[in-house]
């Protein structure tokens, strides 16, 4: 008996019906035998934190639409995600488009109270500011389920940028700053933070200073070049070993991918990861104790062929498949 009841695509075509993420049921439609759901996927249609092109507020809808063709069986992991996990679309978080910090409070509170405390949270942005709210909510829920959290959560961060700038235009809560705030506020442990995909040009060299000084492990896009073992895998494997069973959150800024594969994003940067690089790196994370995730920074307006939204839908699937693979192995 599958844990996630999908419409039968041989009866109800993938291009019909009301869009939910990957055709998963709406949270309110999940029957009692498939509760508590393992993952609640929700949109955060918010982009007031951007420093360049706006429009990521439209991404949850675009990604829902693009996700209709995401199928259930993960070939590389050998796991049927929908038979292993109960998944649901929890709708969109309430947002405060005129207020950055207030928005985070509202989203974090809503997400903290969502579904069952054992349900994992997957946020679909929106700009990268919203990661702070989902990490905070994931951490609140860990606490509510009795998981001791002396330090912040471990974080695996895919991004062309470090997002640890102190402030931009006098604002401390913009999308260049979420991990600066998360580290300062103790919700992310910088010694257990891995950032993958960084590349230049930067505004200035000291943009890296904070992350370096706090002990963040940085794997640049250049490190991902060439066949494995390359510099990236040599850095990532010991990092993953050091995590053990600690709770890990994965945040995926679509701009870590090269704009040739993911043009629909607000602060694009050439020379990024290929789709295959990203899938290979994500699959390498198999075995982590995943407690929450997000995919952010898709800009549908700059995505005429829909490839970026389509990729984001599959990144979501790849991340959730990590949890399915881990549970199927138990
Ligand atoms: Mn980012």
């Amino acid at each position: 008996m599958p844990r996630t009841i999908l419409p039968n695509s041989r009866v109800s075509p993938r291009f019909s019906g009301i869009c939910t993420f990957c055709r998963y049921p709406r949270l309110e439609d999940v029957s009692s035998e498939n509760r508590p759901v393992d993952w609640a996927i929700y949109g955060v249609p918010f982009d007031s934190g951007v420093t360049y092109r706006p429009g990521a507020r439209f991404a949850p809808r675009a990604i829902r639409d693009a996700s209709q063709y995401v199928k259930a069986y993960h070939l590389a992991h050998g796991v049927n995600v929908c038979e292993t996990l109960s998944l649901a679309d929890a709708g969109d978080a309430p947002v405060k488009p005129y207020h950055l910090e207030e928005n985070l409070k509202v989203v974090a509170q809503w997400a903290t109270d969502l579904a069952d405390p054992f349900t994992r949270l997957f946020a679909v942005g929106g700009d990268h500011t919203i990661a702070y709210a989902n990490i905070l909510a994931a951490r609140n829920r860990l606490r509510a389920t009795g998981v001791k959290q002396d330090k912040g959560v471990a974080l695996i961060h895919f991004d062309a940028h470090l997002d640890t700038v102190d402030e931009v235009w006098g604002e401390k809560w913009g999308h260049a700053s979420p991990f600066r705030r998360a580290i300062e506020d103790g919700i992310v442990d910088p010694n257990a933070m891995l950032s993958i995909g960084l590349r230049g040009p930067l505004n200035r060299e000291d943009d890296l200073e904070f992350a370096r000084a706090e002990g963040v492990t940085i794997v640049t896009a250049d490190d991902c070049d060439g066949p494995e073992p390359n510099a990236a895998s040599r850095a990532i494997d010991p990092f993953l070993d050091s995590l053990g069973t600690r709770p890990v959150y994965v945040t995926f800024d679509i701009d870590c991918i090269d704009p040739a594969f993911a043009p629909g994003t607000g602060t694009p940067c050439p020379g990024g990861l290929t789709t295959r690089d990203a899938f290979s790196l994500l699959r390498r994370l198999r075995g982590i104790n995943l407690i929450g995730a997000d995919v952010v920074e898709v800009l549908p307006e700059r995505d005429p062929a829909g490839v970026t939204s389509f990729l984001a839908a599959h990144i979501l699937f790849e991340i959730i498949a990590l949890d399915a693979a881990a549970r199927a192995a138990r």
Side-chain angles (χ1 to χ4, degrees), residues 206-288:
D206 65 9
D207 281 354
L208 300 175
E209 235 165 58
F210 175 82
R212 280 180 178 155
E214 291 286 332
V216 175
T217 302
I218 298 171
V219 170
T220 67
D222 288 348
D223 291 336
C224 300
D225 268 352
E228 291 183 12
N230 50 30
S233 53
R234 283 195 297 273
I236 290 168
D237 289 351
F239 177 86
L240 294 177
D241 287 344
S242 74
L243 291 181
T245 58
R246 311 187 39 165
V248 185
Y249 184 99
V250 173
T251 183
F252 200 103
D253 186 324
I254 204 74
D255 73 21
C256 79
I257 308 278
D258 194 275
F261 300 91
T265 195
T267 47
C269 191
L273 276 57
T274 65
T275 301
R276 294 219 44 84
D277 290 336
F279 281 8
S280 150
L281 290 167
L282 282 168
R283 290 168 191 174
R284 206 175 190 94
L285 305 184
R286 182 174 175 161
I288 61 171

Side-chain angles (χ1 to χ4, degrees), residues 30-200:
V30 176
S31 61
S32 56
E33 64 263 31
N34 288 319
R35 285 174 183 267
V37 301
D38 297 306
W39 285 85
I41 304 156
Y42 69 96
V44 192
F46 180 86
D47 63 8
S48 310
V50 302
T51 53
Y52 200 51
R53 286 188 202 282
R57 63 179 61 184
F58 295 103
R61 283 193 173 177
I63 295 169
R64 277 193 182 90
D65 191 34
S67 73
Q68 302 305 292
Y69 205 66
V70 175
K71 296 170 182 176
Y73 184 76
H74 195 290
L75 184 64
H77 291 316
V79 66
N80 187 310
V81 170
C82 293
E83 283 175 7
T84 312
L85 298 173
S86 178
L87 306 168
D89 186 328
D92 285 348
V95 289
K96 292 273 177 196
Y98 287 141
H99 301 280
L100 282 162
E101 194 176 358
E102 181 66 16
N103 182 67
L104 295 179
K105 287 182 186 154
V106 167
V107 173
Q109 190 59 57
W110 180 85
T112 297
D113 297 338
L114 193 59
D116 179 274
F118 289 99
T119 302
R120 310 289 205 231
L121 301 172
F122 198 116
V124 177
D127 68 40
H128 218 155
T129 62
I130 65 101
Y132 181 97
N134 199 47
I135 296 169
L136 180 57
R139 187 153 183 271
N140 289 342
R141 293 156 71 92
L142 275 183
R143 284 193 167 148
T145 55
V147 178
K148 219 168 124 250
Q149 279 286 292
D150 302 332
K151 300 177 193 165
V153 297
L155 183 72
I156 299 178
H157 169 220
F158 289 84
D159 205 320
H161 316 91
L162 285 174
D163 294 358
T164 52
V165 176
D166 188 22
E167 56 175 71
V168 174
W169 308 325
E171 174 58 59
K172 284 184 167 283
W173 294 96
H175 79 158
S177 311
F179 305 114
R180 178 76 162 240
R181 300 288 94 81
I183 290 168
E184 287 172 351
D185 294 350
I187 69 167
V188 164
D189 175 2
N191 293 303
M193 176 172 169
L194 170 67
S195 191
I196 302 170
L198 178 73
R199 53 197 186 267

